Amino acid sequence: MDRALAPEQITRSRRKSWTVGLLALAALVGAAVGLRSLLHTSVEASRIRTAVAQTGPVENTLTATGEIIPAYEQIMTSPIRASIRRVLLTPGARVRPGQAILELDKSLTQIEYEKLQDQLALKQNSIEQLRMKLDKNLYDADISDQIKLLNINRLRAEVEDARRLLKVGGRTPEDVTRAENALRIAQLEKKQLENDLAYNRRSMGASLKESELQARIEGTNLKVLAQKLRQAEILADRAGVLTWVNENVGSAVNEGEMLVKVADLGSFRVEASCSDTYADQLRTGLPVIVRINEVDLRGLITQIKPSVQNGTVKFAVSLDDNRHASLRPNQKVEVFVVTSRSPQAIRIANGPAFKGKRKQFVFVMGTDNIAHRREVEIGLTNFDWVEIKSGLQPGERVILTDMSEYEHVDQLTIVNQ
């Protein structure tokens, strides 16, 4: 049989229920307040950077690096094997056309030149002797031919006399045959002599031509060596600045070894390089922006090197203003290759808020210092600008600071302090 609970026990049970209910209610209120604080948070204005959307051109660019080099740089090499006797100018010196820069010891080459001169003179003398011998042989052969002709005429007359005497009984048929054979032998000997004369003329003519050709080759070699001796006078052929010189006095240099660099610092160009992942996007004629500190210079790609080295592609840039005051030799610069362009677009300054995605969220400033989270579509981008395809209107202000830590909130309160 059940018994009724005591009043004190009932009171304790009720109090326990009320306590559990109050704790649950407090937890719900705390969660609501916490969620509200998550969805509505604030950030100090000094911690953010903003920019206003505007209308203007946007160029899509590839990032590269470059180096300013003189548009014209003359490299002088040693034309002969020699040694450095004296250095007349040091790097950094300005040079005038015709001014001596470096002096080489040319004694060994001078001896070689004189040796070639003697060999050429000897060859020319042998040619003259061969020509005289040819003339003598031709003259002797001609005289022998004339003598042989006179002998043939005499034998022909003897044959005629023998035939007449045979008719009157003064000679025998054998005498006539003997005279006719002697005439025939003389005629064959004359043909042989003429054939030998023609052969000797051709043979000695070929020998003479060969000797003359050899002499011509040696004469050409002599001219080449004479030209090299003249070039061994290391002179500047135009005005410029001496950027490098081999200052190792007394050291031997081989033919073709670099001695001097002279640059014309009045105009410049850019040697640039970028990752080979962009190689298929590069082509000659593409516009280029060269950034020197805060100065932007325009130019065009004029040459792309065909080979890839260490994962980079090199290309040459011709500047529209290659005499700009900001240009300095060997200066490192930023290079941006323009691959496409939108002439009239909604654009905003580039910043950490843009992650390179086609669609992403940004915070757009509204009234009462409230920034709202909004999705935008990104178009062309470069170092300076981002094209906004949709999601923004000109005149709206966007937070450029990286706001990744607030990606869970829909709006921010900007606090001015």
Side-chain angles (χ1 to χ4, degrees), residues 184-221:
R184 191 173 294 110
I185 291 172
Q187 289 174 335
L188 291 175
E189 289 177 348
K190 185 175 185 301
K191 285 184 178 181
Q192 184 182 25
L193 183 63
E194 290 174 347
N195 183 66
D196 290 343
L197 177 61
Y199 172 78
N200 290 335
R201 182 181 285 111
R202 289 192 300 270
S203 176
M204 297 186 70
S207 298
L208 182 62
K209 186 175 181 180
E210 180 182 358
S211 298
E212 289 175 342
L213 183 59
Q214 291 176 351
R216 192 177 300 116
I217 292 173
E218 291 185 6
T220 302
N221 293 336

Side-chain angles (χ1 to χ4, degrees), residues 99-140:
Q99 185 176 6
I101 301 173
L102 185 143
E103 186 177 318
L104 294 176
D105 182 1
K106 302 176 290 185
S107 55
L108 290 177
T109 306
Q110 187 66 43
I111 293 173
E112 181 68 19
Y113 178 76
E114 293 172 357
K115 178 182 176 181
L116 283 179
Q117 279 186 316
D118 293 341
Q119 289 178 349
L120 180 60
L122 186 64
K123 179 64 68 175
Q124 290 173 338
N125 183 64
S126 65
I127 290 173
E128 188 62 28
Q129 289 180 350
L130 186 61
R131 185 177 287 110
M132 292 171 61
K133 182 179 179 180
L134 177 61
D135 291 342
K136 179 182 180 301
N137 289 344
L138 291 177
Y139 178 78
D140 291 345

Side-chain angles (χ1 to χ4, degrees), residues 106-321:
K106 302 176 290 185
S107 55
L108 290 177
T109 306
Q110 187 66 43
I111 293 173
E112 181 68 19
Y113 178 76
E114 293 172 357
K115 178 182 176 181
L116 283 179
Q117 279 186 316
D118 293 341
Q119 289 178 349
L120 180 60
L122 186 64
K123 179 64 68 175
Q124 290 173 338
N125 183 64
S126 65
I127 290 173
E128 188 62 28
Q129 289 180 350
L130 186 61
R131 185 177 287 110
M132 292 171 61
K133 182 179 179 180
L134 177 61
D135 291 342
K136 179 182 180 301
N137 289 344
L138 291 177
Y139 178 78
D140 291 345
D142 186 59
I143 294 298
S144 298
D145 185 65
Q146 294 180 25
I147 292 173
K148 187 64 65 175
L149 179 62
L150 292 174
N151 188 37
I152 288 174
N153 291 335
R154 179 181 60 80
L155 291 174
R156 187 177 288 113
E158 288 180 358
V159 168
E160 293 297 329
D161 289 343
R163 287 172 179 171
R164 284 195 301 271
L165 291 174
L166 178 63
K167 292 179 180 180
V168 295
R171 290 290 182 90
T172 63
E174 289 78 6
D175 294 332
V176 175
T177 301
R178 190 180 299 109
E180 288 176 346
N181 289 337
L183 175 60
R184 191 173 294 110
I185 291 172
Q187 289 174 335
L188 291 175
E189 289 177 348
K190 185 175 185 301
K191 285 184 178 181
Q192 184 182 25
L193 183 63
E194 290 174 347
N195 183 66
D196 290 343
L197 177 61
Y199 172 78
N200 290 335
R201 182 181 285 111
R202 289 192 300 270
S203 176
M204 297 186 70
S207 298
L208 182 62
K209 186 175 181 180
E210 180 182 358
S211 298
E212 289 175 342
L213 183 59
Q214 291 176 351
R216 192 177 300 116
I217 292 173
E218 291 185 6
T220 302
N221 293 336
L222 189 64
K223 289 179 180 179
V224 170
L225 192 56
Q227 177 66 18
K228 288 183 177 181
L229 282 171
R230 286 192 295 271
Q231 291 175 344
E233 301 290 338
I234 309 301
L235 309 176
D237 60 1
R238 65 177 66 193
V241 175
L242 184 64
T243 57
W244 183 87
V245 62
N246 189 337
E247 298 179 291
N248 299 320
V249 176
S251 64
V253 291
N254 295 317
E255 182 177 348
E257 189 171 337
M258 185 169 63
L259 296 175
V260 170
K261 284 184 179 181
V262 178
D264 177 9
L265 299 186
S267 58
F268 297 88
R269 57 189 176 91
V270 179
E271 287 287 341
S273 62
C274 68
S275 172
D276 60 352
T277 57
Y278 301 136
D280 57 343
Q281 300 183 52
L282 293 177
R283 63 179 184 275
T284 56
L286 280 181
V288 171
I289 302 171
V290 177
R291 178 160 295 169
I292 307 171
N293 298 325
E294 299 300 323
V295 178
D296 287 348
L297 300 179
R298 293 274 176 169
L300 296 174
I301 296 179
T302 56
Q303 181 188 19
I304 301 173
K305 302 296 176 63
S307 61
V308 176
Q309 297 180 350
N310 300 322
T312 61
V313 177
K314 294 184 177 181
F315 55 96
V317 176
S318 174
L319 296 171
D320 296 342
D321 184 5

Side-chain angles (χ1 to χ4, degrees), residues 83-101:
S83 61
I84 299 175
R85 176 180 291 175
R86 190 165 51 142
V87 177
L88 305 176
L89 296 174
T90 56
R94 291 194 170 272
V95 296
R96 304 181 307 273
Q99 185 176 6
I101 301 173

